[in-house]
């Protein structure tokens, strides 16, 4: 397990969808609106059971490949109207960010979501990480984590585990998304928590034992 440098306060990265926010209601509403606008059937209830990968990887299941870029642009443009207001913070999200700051650390959000829409979610919910980076998935997340010196990356998906490991950061997984605790462990998570409510206690123990 990667150790926290003794001279450093922690820089902690968080994924967004199903880690800090329950984006299922908003994403479902936006897909239903996209389907109505385009006339293309999308099973929005199925879509929200497999959140995590980039938008284009989901759209290709419903739209011809040549139409995916235009569908993605339309979805992102519609997103603020349909997806921001219905989306709540997950239990413990605000407290997790506060725990990092209480430890003297910095927080960042690294997400596959379109960055302007990620920032809208955070502003709507009153969460203010020090850094927000969007449009990165799985191992690509390591670029932002390394750039900002993240010691820990917290996410709900095996792709988040892969991103943390690629950045040589501690992978803390929460079982609040589509991946089971066993799947997260098998992907290489260093720590698996049921949700973010237990994160502050875990972080305090980790920091004080470093």
């Amino acid at each position: 397990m990667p150790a926290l440098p003794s001279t450093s306060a922690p820089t902690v990265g968080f994924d967004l969808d199903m880690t800090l926010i329950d984006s299922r209601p908003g994403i479902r509403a936006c897909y239903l609106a996209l389907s109505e606008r385009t006339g293309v059937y999308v099973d929005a209830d199925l879509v929200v059971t497999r959140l995590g990968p980039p938008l284009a990887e989901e759209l290709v299941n419903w739209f011809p490949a040549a139409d995916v870029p235009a569908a993605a642009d339309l979805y992102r443009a519609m997103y603020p109207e349909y997806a921001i207001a219905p989306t709540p913070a997950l239990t413990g999200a605000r407290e997790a960010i506060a725990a990092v700051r209480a430890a003297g650390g910095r927080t960042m959000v690294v997400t596959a979501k379109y960055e302007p829409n990620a920032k809208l979610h955070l502003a709507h919910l009153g969460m203010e990480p020090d850094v927000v980076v969007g449009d990165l998935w799985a191992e690509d997340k390591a670029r932002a984590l390394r750039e900002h010196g993240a010691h820990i990356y917290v996410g709900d998906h095996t792709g988040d585990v892969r991103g943390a490991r690629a950045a040589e950061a501690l992978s803390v997984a929460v079982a609040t998304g589509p991946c089971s605790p066993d799947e997260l462990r098998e992907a290489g998570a260093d720590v698996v928590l049921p949700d973010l409510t237990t994160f502050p206690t875990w972080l305090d123990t980790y920091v004080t034992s470093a």
Side-chain angles (χ1 to χ4, degrees), residues 23-35 42-48 51 75 79 82-83 86-87:
S23 52
R24 291 172 297 183
I27 288 176
R28 180 180 183 276
C30 195
Y31 269 107
L32 290 174
L34 179 70
S35 184
V42 177
D43 186 341
D45 292 318
L46 175 60
V47 168
V48 298
L51 300 180
Y75 175 93
Y79 193 94
Y82 291 96
T87 297

Side-chain angles (χ1 to χ4, degrees), residues 5-206:
S6 59
T7 57
S8 300
T11 295
V12 180
F14 293 89
D15 176 50
L16 185 62
D17 288 359
M18 304 312 300
T19 298
L20 292 175
I21 64 174
D22 183 353
S23 52
R24 291 172 297 183
I27 288 176
R28 180 180 183 276
C30 195
Y31 269 107
L32 290 174
L34 179 70
S35 184
E36 182 177 1
R37 181 79 63 87
T38 61
V40 175
Y41 172 72
V42 177
D43 186 341
D45 292 318
L46 175 60
V47 168
V48 298
T49 67
R50 54 192 187 198
L51 300 180
L55 175 62
E57 291 190 19
E58 182 59 52
L59 290 174
V60 77
N61 295 307
W62 312 103
F63 291 83
D67 295 342
V68 165
D73 288 343
L74 179 58
Y75 175 93
R76 289 175 178 134
M78 297 170 66
Y79 193 94
E81 178 181 357
Y82 291 96
I84 301 301
T87 297
L90 281 167
T91 303
R94 293 183 179 89
E95 293 80 0
I97 291 173
V100 177
R101 293 199 171 126
R106 299 175 71 248
T107 58
M108 60 185 303
V109 168
V110 185
T111 175
K113 190 179 292 297
Y114 180 53
E115 187 173 307
N117 288 338
K119 290 179 176 178
L120 287 176
H121 275 301
L122 294 163
H124 177 73
L125 295 170
M127 290 190 276
E128 299 180 346
D130 297 293
V131 178
V132 179
V133 181
D135 305 290
L136 294 177
W137 164 242
E139 287 85 355
D140 286 342
K141 291 186 174 188
R143 300 204 311 265
L145 296 172
R146 286 181 180 277
E147 178 182 351
H148 294 279
H151 306 101
I152 300 165
Y153 185 57
V154 185
D156 66 282
H157 199 283
T158 56
D160 299 322
V161 177
R162 286 154 47 200
R165 294 185 69 83
E168 299 183 338
L170 186 79
S171 172
V172 176
V174 287
T176 47
C179 300
S180 70
D182 285 345
E183 288 173 315
L184 295 165
R185 291 188 189 95
E186 288 170 9
D190 297 296
V191 178
V192 178
L193 304 175
D195 54 43
L196 284 176
T197 62
T198 56
F199 179 81
T201 298
W202 172 83
L203 180 68
D204 181 63
T205 300
Y206 177 68

